[in-house]
Amino acid sequence: MNDMGGHTRRSPAAPSAQPEAVEMLTFLEAFSNEVDGALDIFAPNAHLRMAIHLLQGHFDGRTVTATSLISASCVPYATANRRLREMIDVGLIEQRPRTATGKSFSLHPSDTMLETWMQMSGRLRRLGERAFGGVARNRDAKDYYFGGSYTSAQSIPPLRVLGEPLKLSGGLRVLVHGDPTFMVMDNLKRQFEQSIGTDISQRAFSIDRLREEALRNAARETSRYDIIAVDLPWIGEFASRNVLTPLDDVMDLERLDPADFHTAGWQGAHWGGRAYGVPAQTTPELLFYRHDIFAEAGLEPPTSTDALLHAARALHDPKRGKYGIAWNAARGTALGHTVLMTFADFGQPILDLPEAAGGFRTEQLAQGGYRAMIDTEAGLHVAEFLLELLKYSPPDILSMSWYERVRPYASGKVAMAYGYTLLAPYFELDETSPASGQTTYLPHPPAPGAQPVAPVGGYVMGIPANLAPERVPAAVEALRVFTSPEAQKLFVQNGSRTNPRYSVGSDPEVRRTSTIFEAVDGMSWRDELQFWPRPPVPEIGGIFQICGEEFHDMLRGLQTPRETLRRAQARADELIRANGTA
């Protein structure tokens, strides 16, 4: 499924899919074997054994046929065949054609079976706990007391299979970013192929190469990809350059349940009032900090820029190989992102956006008429803050970018790091990491007078504008599956720490995987998740590059803060003027 087209990193080992449901299946199978083998008079329960085999095949992404299901029943062929027909007749099993003739079928659990099983597995676990003692893994007693049984019953069910397989010559072709979430999707290749009924070919690129390949693909007569992943800040550029199809041209958006997406993530997928993609991962950049180190040092959580600098200074001890903080400071795109987000920390966007409740408005950007806001008083505070932050950073900070900043945090060399939630698996899933289980997540600490902001990043998945028309309906259906609550929950259970949907973040099984989901949901409800810090205008890539170059020269001591702001402002003005959007 994955054709690595750039420098990418695989996510750490992750737990298997649907852990509680799969564990219960394994237990019931072993229990049935014990009961059936205890006395000869006990007859196997064919319905139960076939249901277990079918569900296991579904979770493992294995094709199940009538022959294999009958074999798993442990009863004579004629009896098993009758039991199988009974399960099909009552709607527990769905048949999907395997060939064009329709004479051969694969068998799949129906929605009814999946939902019933998820509810029953939770009840069986609680019965066992009540009878034999103990509590569910990682579950607080208050979870049950305050409605745990109800919320468990409302858990998002497993990924379903489509009633009809997608018909795509050569299979589904997907272009993605090589980050942990999309690599989880690659690891789940069999499950998704089973769900949509066709092969999947996935190419993964680093962020800059992904943008280049998407633009190259748009210049071709016919797209090589059915679905492409798009970084949120590129939406304006890709919509303006006809890279993406407006989704309301090819599908009913209500099928996506737009209200279920985090508001900032869904708004960020729009340009000129139209959706050009579906959020596949909503991953705000947060402050990660080691609460154990802070407690030992007697420090409070850093909830302002001044407190952040104070903590970084107090915990910086280069002689012992310990540093205060890590962040994106590599020249170009990486540092450019830091600059724009730091502007937000000081209460100002990088463009002259109109103010609105909770931040600034962006829906008018498609009309043009905006200008850069770099050489400002807030800009001077940003420059001075970054110079101060530099003092308490690792010696190689000026070459650190997306992954490099999290690596020293995971290894215990730094006490704090700015990082996207999608990078959390690098320490959360590594039990040898000193940061595992010792990390608290905060929005960016703001400057005095500013509001806390968690700048929203991540990717949407969209349909290329030049995709062959006969492939569009199947691509749309696959897009719906990949961004569904069921798929998003599966990503989380296999190691992802991103989530674009409220329903997934509130799922009790998801909540138990990491504190990050409760933290991000809280930020969303408090209106701290915002995408205006990186406004998705066509020039945003150039603005990242300009800020990343000019501020890098400042951090290297080659120019003063005032010179940096003037040079960056002049270059950004020229870029916007040349593009005709000023």
Side-chain angles (χ1 to χ4, degrees):
M1 183 175 175
N2 189 44
D3 175 8
M4 301 296 280
H7 298 294
T8 59
R9 293 166 170 82
R10 290 194 177 275
S11 60
S16 58
Q18 304 293 342
E20 290 194 0
V22 173
E23 285 176 357
M24 191 57 66
L25 282 172
T26 302
F27 166 75
L28 275 185
E29 184 177 40
F31 181 79
S32 297
N33 290 337
E34 289 293 332
V35 171
D36 294 345
L39 294 171
D40 291 341
I41 197 173
F42 290 164
N45 185 325
H47 288 138
L48 178 60
R49 285 189 172 273
M50 287 194 287
I52 291 172
H53 183 76
L54 188 64
L55 288 163
Q56 286 175 329
H58 180 75
F59 293 143
D60 292 341
R62 289 185 285 104
T63 299
V64 177
T65 64
T67 301
S68 65
L69 208 56
I70 288 171
S71 176
S73 70
C74 296
V75 299
Y77 179 88
T79 303
N81 203 31
R82 288 196 301 273
R83 299 294 178 263
L84 173 58
R85 178 50 54 189
E86 291 167 358
M87 296 175 76
I88 293 173
D89 290 344
V90 299
L92 294 177
I93 296 178
E94 293 182 355
Q95 302 177 90
R96 190 164 70 185
R98 300 181 67 193
T99 61
T101 64
K103 294 180 180 180
S104 176
F105 297 90
S106 58
L107 302 181
H108 307 273
S110 68
D111 290 353
T112 300
M113 178 181 280
L114 287 170
E115 291 173 4
T116 300
W117 172 251
M118 293 302 293
Q119 294 177 19
M120 189 179 77
S121 63
R123 292 197 299 270
L124 289 175
R125 179 178 292 278
R126 286 191 294 277
L127 283 172
E129 291 164 5
R130 194 175 304 144
F132 304 112
V135 294
R137 182 182 52 204
N138 298 329
R139 181 181 299 172
D140 292 334
K142 66 180 181 180
D143 179 52
Y144 184 84
Y145 182 78
F146 289 106
S149 61
Y150 172 77
T151 55
S152 292
Q154 300 300 308
S155 292
I156 294 168
L159 188 66
R160 298 170 168 86
V161 296
L162 300 180
E164 292 289 332
L166 299 183
K167 295 178 173 59
L168 283 166
S169 176
L172 186 77
R173 303 169 304 203
V174 187
L175 176 66
V176 301
H177 180 229
D179 62 48
T181 294
F182 284 123
M183 292 304 96
V184 164
M185 181 175 168
D186 180 48
N187 295 338
L188 296 170
K189 169 184 167 68
R190 291 189 304 173
Q191 282 91 329
F192 281 99
E193 288 181 336
Q194 183 189 61
S195 175
I196 65 175
T198 190
D199 293 339
I200 301 174
S201 172
Q202 176 173 297
R203 298 192 74 194
F205 287 86
S206 58
I207 185 169
D208 290 330
R209 291 192 61 194
L210 173 63
R211 178 176 172 275
E212 293 168 5
E213 176 61 15
L215 293 174
R216 270 198 304 270
N217 183 67
R220 297 171 181 135
E221 184 176 349
T222 304
S223 174
R224 292 182 181 176
Y225 308 100
D226 300 298
I227 296 174
I228 60 174
V230 179
D231 195 14
L232 278 177
W234 304 342
I235 289 292
E237 177 187 14
F238 280 22
S240 302
R241 297 177 68 169
N242 200 34
V243 176
L244 295 169
T245 296
L247 290 183
D248 56 3
D249 280 351
V250 295
M251 72 179 301
D252 176 8
L253 293 180
E254 288 305 311
R255 293 187 67 206
L256 300 171
D257 191 9
D260 190 34
F261 291 102
H262 284 293
T263 304
W266 179 246
Q267 290 177 343
H270 286 65
W271 182 253
R274 304 183 75 183
Y276 283 84
V278 185
Q281 45 172 284
T282 297
T283 174
E285 183 177 87
L286 308 178
L287 179 72
F288 307 160
Y289 79 92
R290 289 279 302 279
H291 53 248
D292 56 331
I293 294 177
F294 271 67
E296 185 178 344
L299 294 169
E300 294 294 321
T303 55
S304 70
T305 49
D306 289 341
L308 177 76
L309 290 173
H310 171 71
R313 186 184 306 114
L315 299 173
H316 191 63
D317 191 355
K319 292 181 179 179
R320 296 179 55 241
K322 303 292 184 180
Y323 308 97
I325 190 167
W327 42 292
N328 261 11
R331 187 177 185 84
T333 302
L335 178 57
H337 281 257
T338 292
V339 172
L340 269 65
M341 292 180 184
T342 309
F343 264 87
D345 298 343
F346 281 82
Q348 185 206 295
I350 202 71
L351 302 177
D352 60 334
L353 304 177
E355 289 192 45
F360 297 85
R361 294 172 52 196
T362 59
E363 65 271 16
Q364 78 291 346
L365 289 174
Q367 303 168 15
Y370 47 80
R371 64 186 182 88
M373 296 278 288
I374 300 175
D375 190 5
T376 63
E377 193 62 27
L380 183 60
H381 293 315
V382 168
E384 293 170 343
F385 174 77
L386 293 177
L387 284 169
E388 188 70 12
L389 207 61
L390 183 68
K391 298 176 183 177
Y392 314 116
S393 304
D396 56 343
I397 187 67
L398 294 181
S399 63
M400 281 189 181
S401 58
W402 320 102
Y403 298 94
E404 287 77 12
R405 59 180 169 170
V406 173
R407 189 178 297 123
Y409 180 80
S411 67
K413 292 181 179 179
V414 298
M416 296 181 288
Y418 286 112
Y420 285 112
T421 60
L422 69 84
L423 298 175
Y426 284 95
F427 53 86
E428 280 203 351
L429 300 182
D430 181 2
E431 294 182 356
T432 66
S433 169
S436 180
Q438 300 293 339
T439 297
T440 295
Y441 304 97
L442 294 175
H444 276 222
Q451 298 298 314
V453 172
V456 170
Y459 288 82
V460 300
M461 300 184 85
I463 308 296
N466 57 338
L467 182 61
E470 66 272 13
R471 299 181 70 89
V472 170
V476 166
E477 194 61 25
L479 177 63
R480 186 194 63 78
V481 170
F482 292 158
T483 58
S484 67
E486 295 85 356
Q488 294 297 327
K489 179 177 177 180
L490 191 57
F491 293 154
V492 171
Q493 291 181 310
N494 282 269
S496 170
R497 290 298 179 262
T498 72
N499 164 45
R501 289 182 176 270
Y502 289 112
S503 62
V504 178
S506 62
D507 182 282
E509 289 183 272
V510 168
R511 289 285 183 124
R512 289 195 290 272
T513 63
S514 171
T515 59
I516 210 165
F517 297 108
E518 184 173 0
V520 170
D521 268 7
M523 294 174 205
S524 182
W525 291 116
R526 292 192 300 271
D527 226 12
E528 293 168 352
L529 292 192
Q530 299 286 340
F531 74 95
W532 60 260
R534 301 185 304 162
V537 294
E539 301 87 359
I540 196 66
I543 292 174
F544 285 142
Q545 195 66 29
I546 289 167
C547 291
E549 291 171 355
E550 297 298 339
F551 278 76
H552 199 267
D553 285 347
M554 179 195 74
L555 294 173
R556 292 170 59 205
L558 302 180
Q559 57 192 30
T560 66
R562 290 287 189 188
E563 290 171 332
T564 296
L565 297 174
R566 283 197 298 270
R567 288 173 58 87
Q569 181 73 50
R571 290 178 63 186
D573 287 344
E574 177 57 31
L575 174 66
I576 296 173
R577 187 163 45 247
N579 205 37
T581 50

